[in-house]
Amino acid sequence: MFIKKRPSWALPHSEVTPESVYLNRRQFMSGTVAVAAGLSMPGLLSAAELPVPGEALDYVAMPGFSTDEKKTPFEDVTRYNNFYEFGTGKGDPARYADEMSVDPWSVVVEGECGRPGEYALEDLLKPHEYQERVYRLRCVEAWSMVIPWIGIPLADIIKRLEPNSRAKYVYFETLYDPDQMRGQRSLFSTIDWPYQEGLRMDEAMNELSFLAVGLYGKTMPNQNGAPIRLVVPWKYGFKSIKSIVKIRFQEERPKTTWEMLAPQEYGFYANVNPDVDHPRWSQKRERRLPSGLLSPNWMETVKFNGYGEQVADLYKGMDLSKFY
Ligand SMILES: Nc1nc2c(c(=O)[nH]1)N[C@H]1C(S)=C(S)[C@@H](COP(=O)(O)O)O[C@H]1N2
Ligand SMILES: [Mo]
């Protein structure tokens, strides 16, 4: 019999991980990272630097919400990331995201709703059962993965927060903490932190929208957006904002990070669409990871990333080349 250690929010009851145990694990991990950073070339981690898996979570599998395509291996899911708060290289998040502390964590809820306030993450999650959903993730850069997420339907959490009739959009914000996020300290960064995203209310309430707290059966690795991140599988990956600290219900459409940076390249909707090319590259195909020089694993990109049956109705009558 062994004892599983979990972050406080991952526990079904009010048992809490002793701080000393937690700190030791952190010290161990940051030690590993520091040694590795001194030796390796920019780029991906070597096998010796494999990310430490998280703690096991209880969940129910949701085959009706899952693809049976081959899953992208854990190593690729956790070593090839976009999380600019930790650098722009694909290997930077795996190398540096453990400089961020994710326990305790709280989420501020504000705006047009009946239950505003600052919630400890465990209180936001407690009443809900975790599900596993295997979704495709299609990055706007034309690569994709298949990831088994653990989490809660976004709609279930939103309902508890009681949005009112003026709530037309939901806004999300990532942690801003340059002390812990080296990309936010970078003089080269063009992003106006914090990272911000948003959904129309009906998109947020769609059955596919998911708040993930883990992957591959374990708590979320920091580089994938611990301790809680959005997953909207029919949209380009940049909509799936990581490490969320704020949820706001509002009447106005929020400005989002990539839209603010390059509005002609990245729109608010960002629905996966092979018929609307990025100004600098085609969106007709994607590289399904793992992908190498000899087997790049190109495949056709499908409209709404293959989730049209669930979401096409949301955009009836809209010109998707205009609302990209
Ligand atoms: N806060 C924050 N969220 C983010 C990003 C980011 O840089 N910062 N990158 C986005 C992009 S471009 C993608 S493709 C996905 C990647 O998620 P993954 O690393 O878990 O595969 O996260 C998205 N969420
Ligand atoms: Mo992306």
Side-chain angles (χ1 to χ4, degrees), residues 76-87 90 93 137-141 143 145 147 149 173-175 181 184 191 193-197 215 220-221 223-225 229-231 236-244 257-258:
D76 299 279
V77 171
T78 56
R79 290 157 75 193
Y80 188 94
N81 300 99
N82 276 334
F83 199 168
Y84 278 26
E85 283 83 342
F86 297 103
K90 294 288 185 266
L137 175 82
R138 178 25 167 110
C139 176
V140 73
E141 298 163 339
W143 52 263
M145 301 197 196
I147 305 177
W149 302 107
E173 199 175 284
T174 296
L175 178 66
M181 298 175 132
Q184 293 178 338
I191 292 181
W193 309 105
Y195 195 98
Q196 300 165 51
E197 260 307 334
L215 54 79
M220 192 69 78
Q223 61 267 35
N224 294 89
R229 58 91 54 89
L230 185 66
V231 184
Y236 291 121
F238 67 83
K239 297 295 291 183
S240 292
I241 182 173
K242 296 177 168 181
S243 304
I244 296 168
T257 289
W258 285 99

Side-chain angles (χ1 to χ4, degrees), residues 98-110:
D98 281 315
E99 294 173 1
M100 166 178 71
S101 158
V102 299
D103 189 13
W105 191 270
S106 56
V107 178
V108 171
V109 174
E110 57 184 34

Side-chain angles (χ1 to χ4, degrees), residues 128-170:
H128 303 280
E129 183 176 58
Y130 295 141
Q131 303 179 357
E132 181 185 67
R133 298 180 174 202
V134 186
Y135 280 162
R136 292 175 289 274
L137 175 82
R138 178 25 167 110
C139 176
V140 73
E141 298 163 339
W143 52 263
S144 64
M145 301 197 196
V146 174
I147 305 177
W149 302 107
I150 310 286
I152 297 167
L154 175 60
D156 290 355
I157 294 209
I158 288 183
K159 282 181 210 144
R160 266 178 62 224
L161 301 175
E162 300 175 9
N164 63 38
S165 60
R166 285 182 300 278
K168 300 287 192 289
Y169 294 89
V170 197

Side-chain angles (χ1 to χ4, degrees), residues 2-132:
F2 63 97
I3 297 163
K4 288 184 200 156
K5 285 182 252 85
R6 301 177 178 188
S8 53
W9 57 265
L11 294 167
H13 309 295
S14 58
E15 189 190 327
V16 179
T17 311
E19 182 121 294
S20 57
V21 172
Y22 186 76
L23 285 178
N24 284 337
R25 178 168 169 262
R26 287 282 146 190
Q27 279 157 5
F28 164 71
M29 297 202 326
S30 54
T32 315
V33 169
V35 170
L39 299 174
S40 57
M41 301 284 290
L44 298 185
L45 300 186
S46 68
E49 305 169 75
L50 275 179
V52 178
E55 312 297 342
L57 293 168
D58 294 320
Y59 59 86
V60 284
M62 301 294 283
F65 287 90
S66 297
T67 173
D68 49 21
E69 287 156 276
K70 192 164 179 278
K71 293 185 197 82
T72 303
F74 178 83
E75 288 69 28
D76 299 279
V77 171
T78 56
R79 290 157 75 193
Y80 188 94
N81 300 99
N82 276 334
F83 199 168
Y84 278 26
E85 283 83 342
F86 297 103
T88 54
K90 294 288 185 266
D92 287 341
R95 197 169 285 122
Y96 301 123
D98 281 315
E99 294 173 1
M100 166 178 71
S101 158
V102 299
D103 189 13
W105 191 270
S106 56
V107 178
V108 171
V109 174
E110 57 184 34
E112 303 292 349
C113 72
R115 297 256 172 267
E118 182 166 355
Y119 292 76
L121 181 60
E122 54 272 27
D123 294 333
L124 203 60
L125 301 175
K126 209 181 306 178
H128 303 280
E129 183 176 58
Y130 295 141
Q131 303 179 357
E132 181 185 67

